[in-house]
Amino acid sequence: MADTKPKPVETLESVTIRFAGDSGDGIQLSGTQFTTATAMSGNDLSTLPDFPAEIRAPAGTLPGVSSFQIHFSSKDILTPGDEPQVLIAMNPAALKAHVKDVVSGGILILNADTFTPQNLEKAGYKSNPLEDGSLADYRVIPVPLSTLTANTLEDTALKRTHIDRCKNFFALGIMYWLYDRPLEPTLDWIQKKFQKMPEISEANSKALHAGYAFGETTELFQSHYHVGKAPIKPGKYRKITGNEATAFGLIAASQLSGRTLFYGSYPITPASDILHELAKHKNFGVKTFQAEDEIAAVGAAIGASFAGHIGVTGTSGPGVALKSEAIGLAVSTELPLIVLNIQRGGPSTGLPTKTEQADLLQAYGGRNGESPVAILAPATPSDCFDMTIQAVRIALKYMTPVVLLSDGYLANGAEPWKIPDVSSLPPLPRLNASDPDGFFPFKRDPETLARLWALPGTPGLEHRIGGLEKADITGNVSYEPENHERMVHLRAEKIQRIAREIPPTEILGPHQGKLLVVGWGSSYGAIASAAQNMQKQGLEVAAVHVRYLNPFPPDLGRILKNYEQILVPEMNLGQFLLLLRAHYLVPAVGLNKVKGQPFKVSEIENKILQMLGKKETSDGGNKSRAARANA
Amino acid sequence: MAETKAAPPALTRKDFISDQIVRWCPGCGDFAILAQTQKFLPTLNIPREKFVFISGIGCASRFPYYVDTYGFHSIHGRAPAIATGVKCANPDLSVWVVTGDGDSLSIGTNHLIHALRRNIGINILLFNNEVYGLTKGQTSPTSRMGTKTKSTPYGSIQEPMIPVSIALAAEATFVARTFDTNLDHLSEMLLRAARHKGTAFIEILQNCKVFNDGAFADITERSHREETTLTLSHGKPLIFGKEKNKGIRVRGYVPEIVEFEPGRAPPEILVHDERHPDSSLAYLLSKLYTPKFPAPIGVFRDVERPTYEELMSQQIEAVKKTRPADLQALIAGSETWQVPAQRDAEEGA
């Protein structure tokens, strides 16, 4: 090893890598570690973890395949990359599930030890792809990962099964060499994680080093790659996922408002990590409550809010369905409530671990009666922090439920985050009622229409609230026709007034022109990238991303009128599109994808080009395939 | 005036009567329970603003509107969940859940049993009238087999639930039963519930004049009450009957009635022990019911266990002592990197 000459280094602007293997292969862990090392290297990055709903589907089968994609660059990037240039497949099933996504000419690093007749059969291969020429389009690098790891660790006292589990670190070592990543962050992590198991800690570290050395010495790689630091704004950074940012946003809002955070939740993918994160931070006085069901979780949050806490409940679409009646109660009683919906594929149980944006109309109208709530949607993982604080601010200021629509892609996806200075965050004041003189529970602030928040325990403000219609001002039960109509309008008007809180909409690109792409939620990265690429081609294409979905930003209507065509890409069958068309009477068109996967930049680009007459069809490939199938 | 500042005037029943018209049917058992509660609350010497009454949906659940304290008339079955949030947020409050047999033994059973197992410091008053009143007369989870209602014109074919058994199975720390027309006993049970730390559960047998009149006449009717009820009293043998000539003993696992000459109770008569750490015997008593047995009235169980809100606060306080609440440090986490203000030209680019 000592004699090897250093191999040449090639510089690349961006790379997209996908790790894939069995759920038990430590794929998510490898991806996360690679992400940290990449972040520490100063690249811009974006990730897309993708894993099955089953904890351990049968090893070696297609349903058991878990993957993690990372896109990193010396330039500013917004998406986890359309097509990986490199696929690390830990077994034939992983190869089979992912090879079709790899760019032609891309690198396949395959664990050669696993390409046994038995595993090939499990993956549904009729012949061995390493031998049958089917991978001729790619640079195939077969590495006997299991054997190499076993050789590396043969001197240890570990059992063979434990040794084999270290192979993901061996593979990671190869990738660190190949892409010039530092080992230290992962070595530190291993040491901390396996503090109580020194043998395992040592074995993993050894495997990582050995993988790195293997890359350096093996004839399989002629060169390795360098991706320079990205021109990021100076400051202190960390990597953050959407769920982490959401949890931190809640704690920050609690600190900024001086109110205790109460988080009622019931375990559900992909929202549970928020409960886990919050449960750790009791030093901030956070009260987490794992309830008996979704309804109790929201019920307890409403109760806590009645008593003056920031009541929050977090779930995914099926959980929101169960909470609907209680959210209506919070609308009727006009209590602050934050409902986090980390959306996933539906209907019903749907695709628990895959992303979708199909709960917008559920948030908008999924309750009985006229039951308006504010709806906010973060655009990126780190944006979850700001939008969560904003959700709390609106809930407290307007005494209303606010639904925050995140999704599986934001929840688990990571990006670098310039850590904000918390002293620069504006406080969230909200006074409790205290003066019994002229007190009525439904007396409203003339500006916001928020009613008074009178907490149990306050002398002289004893009052009753509930789900029955209340008389304006006094809050007594009232079935009066005129009163009901007035209250319905007041609740609707209160939500509309939230528009005053919405900052001017940012337009990416020309302020008028041929085409405007309007998006919401997690598709921001793909939409913004597509619009930028179109602009580079000299096309009059702009993009706006709507973070406030009820009410809409006050300037949105005017913006929409400035373009000849409007395109609305979303991961559903056109829910935002429906609302936009209804609100603004604009002939917007949808681009809809419901595959449990985020948009690729190219998918949006193709649609734009088609709409501008620069391309015949947006999905020529699919169409011709369909035509062939029908023929 | 100085004296009144030091000691505000004691509250009276009137202080707990709200300005709302009570809208129950004439003759409803709820009136007596409401009046008794309003009379009893001042005796607790708790400031009025510290009381919160929380209910679900049903006739009983209108209760909070009529008590001049804080109140929350919520949605069907969910009162224990909402009360849990209130109590966690402010353990200083005296939180009362008012519910019915439909509200908390059908749609809300899950919340009821989980509140009980957590031992959250709330008091649950379950008005059991064995019928759905507000929806105009359908069978309820406590309706007895064969009960004819609008939804069961040929008689109910479902085994009824026994509220006290459910509560005991959920490891409730305080479980009692009383009935609407026995005002002194009702008061006593309310007082004991209020003094209990943790979840207190009281089943109140309550007559529904319109849809199930006389449902409990076989138990509570004054003319035969002494024969059809068994008054539980801690440390006392389980003796009943006008002549105090009957008692409960257990053979195998099965309770049975023994008759004896008044004043000469045989030693095998069970002695009530509401404080027994094991709930088995209380559970056995909960199965005694009309028509085979007298229905036990009183406290089935009263034991101590840490409350949920206490344990929640203790964990928070313990963590606060070891880790400061530093928001900047929290959001930074342990893996950060610095992007310098002026970057050198990218090497090799």
Side-chain angles (χ1 to χ4, degrees):
Chain A
M1 266 198 237
D3 296 337
T4 30
K5 283 182 194 158
K7 291 181 184 175
V9 179
E10 283 178 45
T11 297
L12 300 174
E13 186 186 284
S14 306
V15 182
T16 300
I17 293 177
R18 188 181 293 175
F19 296 86
D22 259 333
S23 305
D25 280 338
I27 296 301
Q28 299 305 320
L29 192 152
S30 301
T32 310
Q33 287 305 314
F34 193 90
T35 305
T36 304
T38 297
M40 299 276 200
S41 306
N43 301 132
D44 197 3
L45 66 88
S46 175
T47 72
L48 174 62
D50 187 7
F51 39 87
E54 294 75 19
I55 303 302
R56 292 275 187 276
T61 63
L62 290 171
V65 175
S66 168
S67 75
F68 188 101
Q69 183 164 316
I70 172 168
H71 180 201
F72 57 103
S73 175
S74 57
K75 292 267 171 346
D76 192 16
I77 53 165
L78 300 169
T79 74
D82 281 9
E83 293 161 330
Q85 286 115 25
V86 186
L87 171 70
I88 299 96
M90 301 300 275
N91 64 17
L95 176 68
K96 179 140 196 191
H98 292 287
V99 69
K100 60 182 182 301
D101 296 336
V102 179
V103 67
S104 172
I107 301 174
L108 308 177
I109 299 173
L110 310 175
N111 181 5
D113 288 329
T114 59
F115 283 69
T116 61
Q118 198 193 3
N119 282 340
L120 289 167
E121 199 196 318
K122 271 194 213 165
Y125 275 117
K126 298 265 186 310
S127 61
N128 188 343
L130 293 180
E131 294 157 2
D132 65 8
S134 62
L135 302 177
D137 271 358
Y138 308 96
R139 249 181 82 196
V140 180
I141 302 178
V143 182
L145 282 173
S146 308
T147 310
L148 291 168
T149 308
N151 293 345
T152 306
L153 301 175
E154 65 187 353
D155 296 341
T156 61
L158 288 178
K159 282 190 205 147
R160 275 182 59 187
T161 49
H162 283 126
I163 287 177
D164 196 55
R165 271 184 217 148
C166 298
K167 66 179 183 293
N168 61 327
F169 282 101
F170 194 98
L172 199 55
I174 297 176
M175 296 311 289
Y176 281 7
W177 176 79
L178 198 57
Y179 290 98
D180 196 21
R181 314 277 91 176
L183 298 180
E184 289 70 27
T186 302
L187 291 171
D188 289 350
W189 180 87
I190 291 172
Q191 211 186 5
K192 257 188 229 157
K193 175 83 183 174
F194 301 105
Q195 210 164 19
K196 288 184 181 144
M197 294 174 275
E199 299 87 15
I200 306 271
S201 169
E202 204 187 324
N204 282 328
S205 302
K206 233 172 150 176
L208 185 72
H209 277 296
Y212 195 93
F214 175 81
E216 216 163 20
T217 51
T218 179
E219 298 296 316
L220 295 168
F221 302 109
Q222 277 77 45
S223 57
H224 60 147
Y225 305 97
H226 176 72
V227 176
K229 294 183 180 195
I232 315 175
K233 275 187 199 159
K236 194 173 170 186
Y237 280 78
R238 63 166 290 161
K239 123 183 123 66
I240 195 153
T241 65
N243 274 352
E244 284 168 343
T246 304
F248 293 164
L250 290 175
I251 295 174
S254 161
Q255 296 283 300
L256 293 168
S257 64
R259 284 182 192 273
T260 303
L261 174 67
F262 182 95
Y263 188 72
S265 195
Y266 183 78
I268 186 168
T269 304
S272 303
D273 284 337
I274 299 172
L275 172 64
H276 305 164
E277 188 63 36
L278 291 172
K280 286 190 239 169
H281 304 300
K282 298 198 194 302
N283 47 327
F284 292 89
V286 176
K287 294 175 184 171
T288 53
F289 174 63
Q290 183 182 328
E292 57 272 23
D293 58 31
E294 294 281 2
I295 300 170
V298 64
I302 291 170
S305 172
F306 178 51
H309 281 10
I310 300 173
V312 186
T313 189
T315 185
S316 190
V320 175
L322 287 164
K323 294 177 197 292
S324 299
E325 189 193 12
I327 297 171
L329 177 68
V331 170
S332 173
T333 54
E334 302 193 40
L335 284 170
L337 174 73
I338 293 91
V339 181
L340 310 174
N341 180 353
I342 317 302
Q343 300 165 93
R344 64 191 217 186
S348 188
T349 312
L351 309 172
T353 59
K354 313 289 179 195
T355 198
E356 206 161 275
Q357 297 179 296
D359 298 347
L360 174 58
L361 292 181
Q362 180 194 38
Y364 197 81
R367 291 164 298 284
N368 60 304
E370 292 292 346
S371 184
V373 298
I375 305 170
L376 274 56
T380 69
S382 65
D383 193 35
C384 290
F385 180 77
D386 298 320
M387 292 310 283
T388 302
I389 295 177
Q390 186 68 340
V392 176
R393 214 168 69 78
I394 290 171
L396 299 186
K397 186 167 174 182
Y398 290 84
M399 296 289 281
T400 178
V402 178
V403 175
L404 187 84
L405 290 176
S406 175
D407 63 27
Y409 168 47
L410 291 179
N412 295 315
E415 66 175 353
W417 183 40
K418 186 168 177 291
I419 302 159
D421 176 4
V422 296
S423 65
S424 70
L425 299 171
L428 302 178
R430 179 68 175 89
L431 295 179
N432 298 327
S434 59
D435 187 3
D437 193 26
F439 169 78
F440 287 107
F442 279 77
K443 208 159 117 177
R444 293 169 192 280
D445 179 310
E447 283 292 308
T448 60
L449 297 183
R451 72 174 187 92
L452 293 167
W453 198 359
L455 312 188
T458 315
L461 304 188
E462 293 83 359
H463 68 280
R464 275 69 56 194
I465 58 172
L468 286 173
E469 183 62 283
K470 296 293 181 287
D472 191 15
I473 302 171
T474 66
N476 292 331
V477 174
S478 168
Y479 307 140
E480 278 278 310
E482 299 301 324
N483 176 75
H484 176 55
E485 188 158 74
R486 184 159 61 249
M487 292 300 275
V488 168
H489 281 292
L490 275 169
R491 288 186 288 259
E493 169 65 14
K494 182 173 79 164
I495 297 301
Q496 287 312 309
R497 289 199 185 180
I498 294 169
R500 298 169 182 186
E501 305 295 320
I502 305 176
T505 303
E506 200 188 332
I507 302 170
L508 304 170
H511 284 222
Q512 55 186 27
K514 297 275 183 216
L515 190 142
L516 178 70
V517 191
V518 189
W520 68 279
S522 71
S523 50
Y524 166 76
I527 290 173
S529 300
Q532 281 167 5
N533 293 344
M534 295 294 98
Q535 287 157 19
K536 277 183 206 155
Q537 292 182 26
L539 300 172
E540 279 181 30
V541 174
V544 296
H545 210 69
V546 181
R547 286 174 168 80
Y548 297 83
L549 295 153
N550 197 36
F552 279 141
D555 56 2
L556 186 60
R558 281 199 308 278
I559 294 170
L560 295 178
K561 308 274 186 228
N562 292 334
Y563 300 86
E564 289 172 20
Q565 296 189 76
I566 297 165
L567 170 65
V568 183
E570 46 185 335
M571 294 183 282
N572 60 45
L573 295 187
Q575 302 191 3
F576 181 45
L577 179 73
L578 184 77
L579 295 178
L580 277 182
R581 291 173 62 117
H583 273 76
Y584 301 111
L585 302 175
V586 288
V589 216
L591 170 63
N592 307 101
K593 179 175 182 180
V594 277
K595 293 183 173 178
Q597 299 292 333
F599 276 108
K600 289 179 180 172
V601 179
S602 59
E603 292 166 339
I604 297 171
E605 287 173 354
N606 286 340
K607 182 70 183 178
I608 294 171
L609 290 171
Q610 183 216 344
M611 286 174 72
L612 294 177
K614 310 280 178 192
K615 206 171 186 180
E616 273 188 13
T617 58
S618 63
D619 53 354
N622 288 335
K623 221 171 201 173
S624 56
R625 259 201 297 279
R628 276 200 299 277
N630 290 335
Chain B
M1 286 310 277
E3 298 93 309
T4 53
K5 250 186 195 170
L11 295 166
T12 66
R13 181 177 155 263
K14 275 192 175 163
D15 292 307
F16 290 94
I17 299 173
S18 81
D19 59 0
Q20 298 300 295
I21 300 161
V22 182
R23 305 187 202 179
W24 287 314
C25 312
C28 178
D30 291 355
F31 283 101
I33 306 171
L34 175 65
Q36 208 56 27
T37 305
Q38 287 162 332
K39 208 166 123 190
F40 140 83
L41 288 174
T43 67
L44 294 174
N45 286 322
I46 295 173
R48 192 171 59 153
E49 66 271 14
K50 302 259 184 188
F51 288 105
V52 187
F53 279 80
I54 301 170
S55 63
I57 294 292
C59 294
S61 291
R62 296 297 178 96
F63 198 94
Y65 290 120
Y66 310 136
V67 189
D68 197 5
T69 63
Y70 284 92
F72 199 150
H73 175 220
S74 77
I75 44 177
H76 208 11
R78 318 304 172 197
I82 288 167
T84 297
V86 169
K87 188 69 181 181
C88 286
N90 188 352
D92 204 25
L93 298 170
S94 176
V95 181
W96 296 75
V97 166
V98 181
T99 179
D101 41 314
D103 195 47
S104 67
L105 290 173
S106 263
I107 196 165
T109 317
N110 203 23
H111 310 307
L112 175 74
I113 60 182
H114 284 275
L116 293 168
R117 73 146 169 129
R118 288 188 189 107
N119 201 32
I120 181 96
I122 60 177
N123 308 297
I124 301 173
L125 310 181
L126 189 156
F127 297 10
N128 179 11
N129 59 11
E130 295 186 358
V131 75
Y132 279 75
L134 203 58
T135 48
K136 302 190 178 172
Q138 297 83 13
T139 181
S140 104
T142 54
S143 299
R144 291 172 228 180
M145 280 290 255
T147 305
K148 287 186 178 170
T149 67
K150 281 186 192 156
S151 60
T152 54
Y154 300 101
S156 167
I157 53 172
Q158 302 182 73
E159 189 67 25
M161 279 169 133
I162 302 170
V164 169
S165 302
I166 300 286
L168 289 165
E171 286 303 322
T173 54
F174 181 93
V175 181
R177 180 191 285 141
T178 183
F179 53 95
D180 54 2
T181 51
N182 194 349
L183 298 181
D184 291 343
H185 191 260
L186 175 61
S187 264
E188 190 195 329
M189 293 301 109
L190 290 173
L191 187 65
R192 290 206 46 191
R195 288 190 177 151
H196 177 73
K197 204 168 67 83
T199 317
F201 175 87
I202 309 180
E203 179 196 9
I204 304 172
L205 307 181
Q206 169 249 323
N207 191 43
C208 174
K209 187 87 181 155
V210 176
F211 295 107
N212 204 13
D213 196 20
F216 299 105
D218 55 350
I219 298 172
T220 63
E221 200 62 41
R222 201 169 288 275
S223 56
H224 54 71
R225 195 184 280 176
E226 283 162 290
E227 298 294 329
T228 51
T229 62
L230 169 67
T231 303
L232 303 174
S233 185
H234 181 66
K236 301 270 171 62
L238 298 173
I239 292 173
F240 66 102
K242 206 168 183 175
E243 311 291 331
K244 304 255 178 278
N245 62 337
K246 289 173 213 155
I248 304 291
R249 71 177 176 197
V250 177
R251 281 282 162 91
Y253 299 108
V254 184
E256 57 184 34
I257 296 170
V258 265
E259 286 195 42
F260 48 85
E261 256 181 64
R264 308 186 72 170
E268 74 255 35
I269 300 289
L270 278 180
V271 174
H272 186 47
D273 181 3
E274 63 189 29
R275 293 173 209 157
H276 201 288
D278 188 285
S279 59
S280 304
L281 207 56
Y283 187 81
L284 182 138
L285 292 180
S286 76
K287 307 296 269 187
L288 304 182
Y289 210 63
T290 182
K292 277 197 201 154
F293 289 97
I297 298 296
V299 177
F300 287 74
R301 188 172 201 223
D302 184 4
V303 295
E304 267 201 46
R305 210 168 72 214
T307 66
Y308 185 83
E309 69 276 14
E310 253 172 21
L311 295 173
M312 183 182 240
S313 301
Q314 279 168 18
Q315 280 192 345
I316 289 170
E317 291 314 312
V319 178
K320 274 184 176 172
K321 272 185 197 142
T322 58
R323 277 158 51 200
D326 181 344
L327 183 60
Q328 193 68 55
L330 169 79
I331 66 171
S334 57
E335 286 170 337
T336 61
W337 66 95
Q338 195 75 35
V339 173
Q342 267 149 358
R343 187 193 293 281
D344 297 332
E346 193 47 60
E347 65 271 24

